[in-house]
């Protein structure tokens, strides 16, 4: 029987690349995000290309009731998720703390911490019942160090780091693996969203060096989730060759 992976934030970037990679590995997928059209296109393309089953759910991870309603609406044969990939997340703004925009802070905290918790709380009880499952959390280099003006985004990713460790401890008796994947700079929609649509500013982030592609991270996710059952990749930090820390780059 094919395994089931649920990927939050599959409409673009790392989540979309992970969906493509895991479909290629033969997983049936539950893909989620807020953009129905992107979900529909991905569903059709993966089903056609790889012959796997795809279930698409359009909801906002920040709304607990919507998370519960949508995941609760899954037909019985989709309810036992083998791999949960908590990927949906974002940075908004890059301001020093004293000029931070409170609404930006709320969006990051609500998505990156609370959204991840809501989805986890809804999916994991059945993993516990089955004494089997794998959670993959998208952390970041920003969860390993703080960088200038990154304050709240870095705090949310430090929270993901702590939650990954906490989940691993709590779920150990139930045979559930927890992996944290921490990328450096990956060229996706991430910076366009951080800079609120300013494409030029976003492009500058990735100029003068070769950033990671979403597919590079998808490969790492696939490596972690297809490891033998007794092997858990706990934590991986993946950087472009030209990046030494959150903000130190060697640019040509
Ligand atoms: P993208 O902006 O390309 O993708 C983000 C995904 O998250 C989209 O599919 C988006 O879907 C989804 N999402 C955002 N907010 C919500 C929400 N409220 N409810 C549901 N889905 C949501 O960025 P990346 O692929 O780069 O980011 C993926 C993860 O990787 C994030 O957690 C990010 O913090 C992390 N990361 C990214 C790095 C980078 O350099 N790019 C580096 C390190 C970590 P939709 O808009 O349809 O809702
Ligand atoms: C995204 C990468 O360096 O902008 O988490 O924090 S960074």
């Amino acid at each position: 029987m094919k395994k089931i992976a649920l990927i939050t934030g599959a409409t673009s970037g790392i989540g979309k690349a992970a969906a493509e990679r895991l479909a290629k590995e033969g997983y049936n997928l539950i893909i989620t995000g807020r953009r129905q059209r992107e979900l529909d296109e991905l569903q059709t393309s993966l089903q056609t290309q790889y012959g796997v089953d795809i279930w698409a759910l359009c909801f906002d991870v920040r709304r607990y009731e919507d998370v519960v309603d949508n995941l609760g609406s899954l037909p019985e044969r989709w309810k036992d998720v083998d791999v949960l990939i908590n990927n949906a997340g974002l940075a908004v703004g890059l301001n020093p703390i004293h000029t931070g925009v409170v609404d930006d802070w709320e969006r990051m905290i609500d998505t990156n911490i609370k959204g991840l918790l809501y989805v986890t709380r809804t999916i994991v009880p059945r993993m516990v019942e089955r004494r089997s499952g794998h959670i993959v959390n998208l952390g970041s280099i920003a969860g390993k160090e703080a960088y200038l003006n990154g304050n709240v985004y870095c705090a949310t990713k430090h929270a993901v780091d702590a939650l990954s460790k906490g989940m691993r401890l709590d779920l150990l008796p139930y045979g559930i693996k927890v992996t944290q994947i921490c990328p450096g700079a990956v060229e996706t929609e991430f910076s366009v969203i951080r800079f609120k649509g300013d494409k030029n500013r976003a492009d500058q982030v990735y100029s003068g060096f070769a950033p990671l592609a979403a597919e590079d991270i998808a490969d790492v996710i696939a490596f972690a989730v297809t490891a033998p059952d007794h092997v858990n990749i706990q934590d991986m930090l993946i950087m472009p060759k030209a990046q030494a820390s959150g903000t130190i780059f060697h640019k040509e």
Side-chain angles (χ1 to χ4, degrees):
M1 214 170 71
K2 286 191 169 81
K3 287 191 171 180
I4 297 175
L6 187 164
I7 305 173
T8 66
T11 53
S12 91
I14 295 168
K16 184 175 182 185
E20 280 168 1
R21 186 68 171 74
L22 292 187
K24 202 171 166 186
E25 294 287 336
Y27 281 75
N28 288 332
L29 299 176
I30 302 162
I31 52 172
T32 85
R34 291 166 302 175
R35 284 173 282 176
Q36 186 71 59
R37 198 174 66 178
E38 277 75 359
L39 288 171
D40 291 345
E41 282 172 8
L42 186 62
Q43 180 179 36
T44 306
S45 130
L46 296 181
Q47 285 179 162
T48 313
Q49 260 186 289
Y50 301 109
V52 292
D53 290 339
I54 308 288
W55 195 274
L57 292 174
C58 189
F59 65 89
D60 188 327
V61 295
R62 292 172 295 180
R63 299 172 65 92
Y64 183 55
E65 277 187 9
D66 291 357
V67 172
V68 171
D69 286 353
N70 275 277
L71 297 178
S73 76
L74 285 167
E76 197 53 34
R77 75 180 187 91
W78 282 97
K79 278 196 195 299
D80 283 326
V81 170
D82 297 287
V83 179
L84 165 61
I85 303 182
N86 279 316
N87 164 77
L90 79 180
V92 197
L94 192 64
N95 287 11
I97 200 77
H98 54 286
T99 63
V101 178
V102 171
D103 184 56
D104 295 349
W105 294 353
E106 313 274 25
R107 283 177 64 193
M108 290 187 277
I109 292 166
D110 289 352
T111 310
N112 301 356
I113 306 177
K114 291 164 75 178
L116 178 147
L117 283 170
Y118 295 160
V119 173
T120 303
R121 180 66 182 83
T122 309
I123 291 297
V124 172
R126 285 182 75 120
M127 289 185 175
V128 169
E129 268 175 39
R130 285 169 24 243
R131 288 179 150 58
S132 163
H134 193 164
I135 302 168
V136 178
N137 292 329
L138 262 293
S140 170
I141 178 64
K144 302 290 184 188
E145 59 184 71
Y147 56 77
L148 195 64
N149 301 331
N151 43 65
V152 175
Y153 178 68
C154 293
T156 65
K157 289 298 177 179
H158 276 69
V160 173
D161 190 55
L163 286 170
S164 300
K165 289 172 183 150
M167 288 179 194
R168 198 174 296 121
L169 293 170
D170 296 351
L171 300 173
L172 181 70
Y174 306 103
I176 297 169
K177 302 201 269 192
V178 180
T179 296
Q180 181 179 223
I181 305 282
C182 297
V186 190
E187 189 166 12
T188 61
E189 293 179 11
F190 179 86
S191 290
V192 179
I193 286 166
R194 165 170 261 176
F195 298 125
K196 303 177 181 178
D198 185 340
K199 180 86 171 61
N200 284 338
R201 199 166 166 203
D203 286 346
Q204 281 167 29
V205 173
Y206 310 108
S207 71
F209 75 108
L212 296 170
E215 290 72 19
D216 297 322
I217 301 305
D219 284 346
V220 175
I221 292 171
F223 175 72
V225 303
T226 59
D229 185 54
H230 67 287
V231 177
N232 183 29
I233 310 291
Q234 291 201 352
D235 200 353
M236 286 184 95
L237 178 62
I238 308 104
M239 307 286 273
K241 187 172 80 172
Q243 183 178 10
S245 77
T247 49
I248 307 292
F249 291 83
H250 179 71
K251 294 203 176 193
E252 301 293 342

